[in-house]
Amino acid sequence: MWALNAGGYRRLGAVGSVAAAVGGWVAGTLPARDPWGLWVPHGSVVTVAGEVLAYVGLTLLVVAWWRYGRTGASTRDTLVTLAWWATPLALAPPLYSADVYSYIAQGAMVLEGHDVYSAGPSVLDPAGLGGDAAASVGGNWTDSPAPYGPFFLILARGVTWVTGGTIVPAVLGMRLIAVGALVLIVWALRHLARERGTSESGALWLGALNPLLLTHVIGGMHNDGLMIGLMLAGVVLALRGRWIAGGALVGLAMMVKSPAAMALLFIGVFVGRAATGPFVRRVARGVAPGLVAVAVAVAAALLGGTGFGWLRTQSVAGTIHTALSATSDLGLGLGELLHLLVGTDPGPVKTAVQNLGLGVALVLIACLAWRSARGREGSARGAAAARAVEPAHASDTAHASDSVRALDPVHALGLALLALVALSPMVQPWYLLWGVTVIAATAPYGRTATVLTVLSAALVYETHPSGATPWYGFVLVGVVCVIGTLLVRRDSNAPGEVRVPGDELAVGAHRT
């Protein structure tokens, strides 16, 4: 098969990124109204051409990313590649999602004194502040209250206030936040990789250069990127003994999106395990970061002026059916079947299955926390370093006995987030990034990371550049999953070693 060096794949991915961005100017998630006339609909022929260009560009980006991961590129080269690939998407209209319009509209609601936790963007005056953004919000969210925390709403309010809610500058303001989130993720990945003894460039390749992150955090501006960045930064600080600052950052991450609270459990495990003295003292030390995070959350709610309404809106997303949620699909199918057989209402059946899925997720998370709490930090770090230098087909089995004795709390956090996503009543493609970014820093070449690599390459196709989820998107996801699996099997059976980012680290570790 043809092969390029790292520079060649960098250029190929940049061409793909530019093509996706250019296609997005006519086929992206354009606003309903743009007073500046920049992001406006075009004729059907131009729109179809833009769609084709965007899909071709996305495919080039995915292929370049997949192959780049086997070139042995250095950390510096990977950072340069990230800049090349992210810049075109940062200059495009919103891509793959209309959520940014919800963010702007909710910022306007806060400015105008509306309760964002009891009403949706439809309460805004169409001709007033945030009216254009409200008109552009996706149908499911027009009347839905905000599920986001006060800290993110403070940021959205600031962007809306500075830009006056005008679509183009407001979107670019939200994109600045997304770019800042990417920078924070890069910083955290590099330092987490150092702390856990893994490859920096490998962590960056899977966790930051990932097309799923570029398309949905930079292109789509999802606030998951900010949540992930703050959460990872908090974990880094906690690992370095600065658990107060770490807890505070995780508290801010929680005030963007609540799943970040998961990090407190595993930070508590790490801090408590590293502490000395009686059991009660170690438990108290482990609980302390959580108390700091709660204090930060309370402060954000009070200072932001939005109160604690976000506590009652955490189930809002679960009311919207997404085809990627296995429990929602199973519950819906079972409910409809029972409705046909015995005439029962399918709604309660679906809810019961969803709740059962969350219950199973909580059990799995508790098991992961227990396993990570049993060991010592030295053995966990050693297991993490060992995972970094093993090939994908061996890393998760060769150290099975070590993982039973001491599961790395940071790695366990990544697995816990993946379990939560897999069993959640609402799953979007970019939710996978919650766990991907953590696993990227702890075991970028393990079997789990290999599965996540294939899923990342596939899930970028689920969403149309306009934010819609067409039926053929799921077909493309399935096709890419099959192709990715075959490529992984071919590589694992090929003679010799497959070069991966940061191979120089792995070689050095073997020699010592």
Side-chain angles (χ1 to χ4, degrees):
M1 182 178 177
W2 59 270
L4 303 173
N5 59 19
Y9 288 121
R10 175 190 299 157
R11 290 186 288 273
L12 180 65
V15 171
S17 181
V18 169
V22 171
W25 276 83
V26 295
T29 314
L30 304 178
R33 299 190 297 265
D34 174 15
W36 288 13
L38 292 178
W39 298 338
V40 295
H42 297 76
S44 58
V45 174
V46 176
T47 300
V48 170
E51 293 173 349
V52 172
L53 181 62
Y55 273 108
V56 170
L58 180 62
T59 301
L60 291 177
L61 182 61
V62 170
V63 170
W65 172 69
W66 185 284
R67 299 298 301 173
Y68 187 90
R70 287 147 178 81
T71 62
S74 67
T75 298
R76 180 183 180 279
D77 287 340
T78 303
L79 290 172
V80 173
T81 300
L82 178 62
W84 279 40
W85 292 4
T87 300
L89 297 174
L91 301 176
L95 297 170
Y96 306 103
S97 175
D99 280 11
V100 67
Y101 301 125
S102 293
Y103 304 159
I104 298 167
Q106 288 158 0
M109 289 174 65
V110 175
L111 278 175
E112 294 198 337
H114 297 286
D115 183 1
V116 294
Y117 296 124
S118 63
S122 61
V123 301
L124 292 172
D125 180 0
L129 180 68
D132 291 338
S136 307
V137 172
N140 290 329
W141 298 102
T142 301
D143 298 306
S144 298
Y148 312 121
F151 178 62
F152 181 72
L153 292 177
I154 291 173
L155 297 178
R157 180 181 65 183
V159 169
T160 305
W161 178 76
V162 169
T163 63
T166 305
I167 283 292
V168 173
V171 166
L172 294 180
M174 296 305 302
R175 186 160 271 143
L176 281 178
I177 294 176
V179 172
L182 177 60
V183 171
L184 189 57
I185 290 172
V186 167
W187 178 87
L189 283 173
R190 296 187 66 183
H191 287 81
L192 266 181
R194 294 173 190 171
E195 291 288 335
R196 309 327 281 166
T198 58
S199 165
E200 285 186 45
S201 54
L204 291 173
W205 172 73
L206 180 58
L209 201 62
N210 194 318
L212 190 63
L213 186 142
L214 293 177
T215 54
H216 287 293
V217 171
I218 301 301
M221 291 162 282
H222 289 291
N223 56 11
D224 299 72
L226 182 60
M227 179 199 78
I228 292 169
L230 291 169
M231 178 184 71
L232 293 179
V235 172
V236 170
L237 294 180
L239 289 176
R240 294 180 171 179
R242 299 168 59 186
W243 55 266
I244 296 178
L249 284 181
V250 174
L252 289 179
M254 290 164 49
M255 293 299 94
V256 177
K257 295 190 77 170
S258 58
M262 185 80 68
L264 294 174
L265 174 61
F266 294 93
I267 287 177
V269 167
F270 174 85
V271 172
R273 199 171 68 179
T276 58
F279 176 76
V280 174
R281 178 183 176 184
R282 285 183 280 128
V283 171
R285 189 72 177 268
V287 171
L291 297 178
V292 173
V294 170
V296 169
V298 171
L302 296 176
L303 295 176
T306 55
F308 299 92
W310 59 275
L311 291 171
R312 67 173 184 269
T313 62
Q314 295 308 295
S315 61
V316 168
T319 62
I320 299 174
H321 185 88
T322 55
L324 291 179
S325 170
T327 58
S328 293
D329 292 339
L330 180 60
L332 179 62
L334 184 59
E336 292 296 337
L337 178 62
L338 291 177
H339 177 70
L340 290 175
L341 295 177
V342 295
T344 58
D345 184 0
V349 176
K350 178 182 177 182
T351 300
V353 175
Q354 290 175 328
N355 291 336
L356 177 62
L358 288 175
V360 173
L362 291 177
V363 171
L364 292 174
I365 292 165
C367 290
L368 289 167
W370 173 253
R371 283 184 56 189
S372 61
R374 291 176 59 190
R376 296 180 310 233
E377 172 54 17
S379 59
R381 182 174 298 188
R387 281 193 300 268
V389 300
E390 288 290 335
H393 64 277
S395 61
D396 292 331
T397 57
H399 302 279
S401 59
D402 287 342
S403 64
V404 171
R405 184 171 67 249
L407 181 63
D408 177 18
V410 182
H411 189 69
L413 169 61
L415 296 176
L417 288 167
L418 292 175
L420 178 63
V421 171
L423 295 168
S424 173
M426 180 182 180
V427 179
Q428 299 286 12
W430 53 92
Y431 289 5
L432 188 71
L433 295 170
W434 302 353
V436 166
T437 49
V438 181
I439 299 298
T442 59
Y445 311 127
R447 183 175 298 171
T448 300
T450 301
V451 173
L452 295 176
T453 298
V454 174
L455 289 176
S456 296
L459 287 175
V460 294
Y461 290 98
E462 192 254 7
T463 310
H464 188 275
S466 67
T469 52
W471 63 267
Y472 56 81
F474 297 98
V475 174
L476 291 174
V477 170
V479 170
V480 175
C481 279
V482 172
I483 295 174
T485 301
L486 293 175
L487 290 174
V488 168
R489 289 175 63 87
R490 186 202 65 179
D491 289 344
S492 64
N493 294 328
E497 295 185 2
V498 178
R499 297 184 71 196
V500 288
D503 241 7
E504 67 282 353
L505 180 148
V507 172
H510 280 302
R511 288 177 178 172
T512 58

